[in-house]
C-alpha cells in the first residue's frame, strides 16, 4: 500500500474536519447572534452545505475511485441526477428512521429533517462521491471485508462513527438536567458531528497501522 495514498486520505479528512470547525467560528462574523446552540438550525444548514461542498470538491480533485472507462457527457448528467435523487431519498429515509426511534412526528419537523440532511451529508453523500449511485457497490463495501481501497475503508469507518455518534447523542435528551443542548436535535446532531470528526481522524490512523494486513485484492 502506498504511503502517498494514505497521506492524501489524511489530508482530505483533516480538511473535512477543519471545515466543520470553521462552521462554528466563521459565521458569527457575518451573522449577528450566531451560535451553534442558539441558532442550531442555521448551523445545521451551514455545516451540511460546507461539508457537502468540500466533499464534492475533494472528490473532483483527488478522484479516489476514478473509472478507467471514459464517461460521456450524457452519462455524467445522468449520474449526477441519480446522485441528487439518492441523496434526497436518503434524507427522507433518515427522517423516517429518526421518527421511528422517537423523534416528534408532527412537532419539530424542520429540526428533524435538517438533522436527517446532516446525517445524509456525513454518510450518503460520501458514498455517492466515492462509490457513485450503485447500490450493489454500496452493499459490497459495507459487507464484511468488502472494502477494496483505503477510501472505501475510510468510508466504512466515518459512516459507522457518524451513526453511532448520533445514537449516543440521543441518550442525554430524556435526562432531567435542563441543559440548552438537550433540546431536540442538538445533542444528536452534535453527537453525529463529533462521531464523524472522530471517524475522519481514526480512519487514516487505523489504515496506516494495519497497512500490512490490508491487501485490497480485486474482486
Amino acid at each position: 500500500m502506498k504511503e502517498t495514498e494514505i497521506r492524501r486520505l489524511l489530508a482530505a479528512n483533516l480538511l473535512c474536519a477543519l471545515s466543520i470547525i470553521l462552521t462554528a467560528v466563521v459565521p458569527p462574523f457575518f451573522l449577528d447572534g450566531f451560535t451553534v446552540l442558539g441558532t442550531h438550525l442555521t448551523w445545521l444548514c451551514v455545516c451540511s452545505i460546507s461539508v457537502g461542498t468540500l466533499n464534492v470538491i475533494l472528490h473532483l480533485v483527488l478522484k479516489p475511485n476514478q473509472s478507467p472507462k471514459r464517461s460521456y457527457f450524457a452519462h455524467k448528467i445522468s449520474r449526477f441526477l441519480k446522485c441528487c435523487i439518492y441523496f434526497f431519498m436518503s434524507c427522507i429515509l433518515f427522517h423516517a428512521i429518526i421518527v421511528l426511534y422517537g423523534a416528534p412526528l408532527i412537532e419539530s419537523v424542520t429540526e428533524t429533517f435538517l438533522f436527517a440532511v446532516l446525517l445524509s451529508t456525513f454518510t450518503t453523500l460520501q458514498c455517492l462521491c466515492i462509490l457513485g449511485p450503485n447500490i450493489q457497490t454500496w452493499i459490497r463495501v459495507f459487507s464484511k471485508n468488502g472494502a477494496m481501497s483505503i477510501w472505501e475503508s475510510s468510508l466504512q469507518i466515518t459512516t459507522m462513527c457518524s451513526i453511532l455518534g448520533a445514537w449516543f447523542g440521543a441518550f442525554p435528551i430524556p435526562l432531567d438536567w435542563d441543559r440548552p443542548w438537550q433540546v431536540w436535535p442538538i445533542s444528536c446532531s452534535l453527537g453525529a458531528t463529533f462521531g464523524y470528526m472522530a471517524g475522519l481522524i481514526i480512519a487514516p490512523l487505523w489504515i496506516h497501522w494495519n497497512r500490512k494486513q490490508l491487501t485490497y485484492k480485486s474482486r
Side-chain angles (χ1 to χ4, degrees), residues 5 13 16 18 23 27 31 37 46 59 81 92 102 113 118 149 167 170-171 182 215:
E5 195 70 10
N13 286 6
C16 289
L18 178 62
T23 59
L31 301 174
L37 299 182
V46 172
H59 169 69
L81 293 176
I92 299 297
F113 184 74
L118 184 74
S149 69
W167 186 61
F171 287 175
Q182 287 180 275
T215 55

Side-chain angles (χ1 to χ4, degrees), residues 73-91:
F73 179 75
H75 175 74
K76 292 180 179 179
I77 294 296
S78 175
R79 182 186 176 92
F80 172 76
L81 293 176
K82 283 183 180 180
C83 288
C84 292
I85 294 172
Y86 280 28
F87 181 78
F88 179 73
M89 290 173 60
S90 170
C91 296

Side-chain angles (χ1 to χ4, degrees), residues 150-213:
I150 64 171
W151 300 92
E152 293 180 358
S153 293
S154 177
L155 183 62
Q156 291 175 335
I157 295 172
T158 54
T159 299
M160 187 64 66
C161 287
S162 300
I163 294 175
L164 287 176
W167 186 61
F168 282 116
F171 287 175
I173 292 179
L175 299 179
D176 190 20
W177 293 346
D178 295 327
R179 295 290 188 267
W181 49 265
Q182 287 180 275
V183 177
W184 173 255
I186 295 178
S187 62
C188 288
S189 56
L190 291 180
T193 304
F194 288 129
Y196 176 66
M197 293 179 68
L200 291 173
I201 298 171
I202 292 171
L205 297 178
W206 182 86
I207 293 170
H208 176 76
W209 185 265
N210 296 277
R211 63 189 183 281
K212 293 182 179 179
Q213 289 78 26

Side-chain angles (χ1 to χ4, degrees), residues 56-119:
V56 173
I57 293 174
L58 289 174
H59 169 69
L60 295 175
V61 173
L62 299 177
K63 299 178 180 179
N65 280 0
Q66 187 177 18
S67 174
K69 297 180 180 179
R70 188 173 182 179
S71 300
Y72 294 102
F73 179 75
H75 175 74
K76 292 180 179 179
I77 294 296
S78 175
R79 182 186 176 92
F80 172 76
L81 293 176
K82 283 183 180 180
C83 288
C84 292
I85 294 172
Y86 280 28
F87 181 78
F88 179 73
M89 290 173 60
S90 170
C91 296
I92 299 297
L93 180 61
F94 270 123
H95 185 101
I97 293 174
I98 293 167
V99 170
L100 290 175
Y101 268 88
L105 176 61
I106 298 177
E107 298 178 358
S108 305
V109 174
T110 303
E111 289 85 346
T112 303
F113 184 74
L114 289 178
F115 173 47
V117 172
L118 184 74
L119 267 181

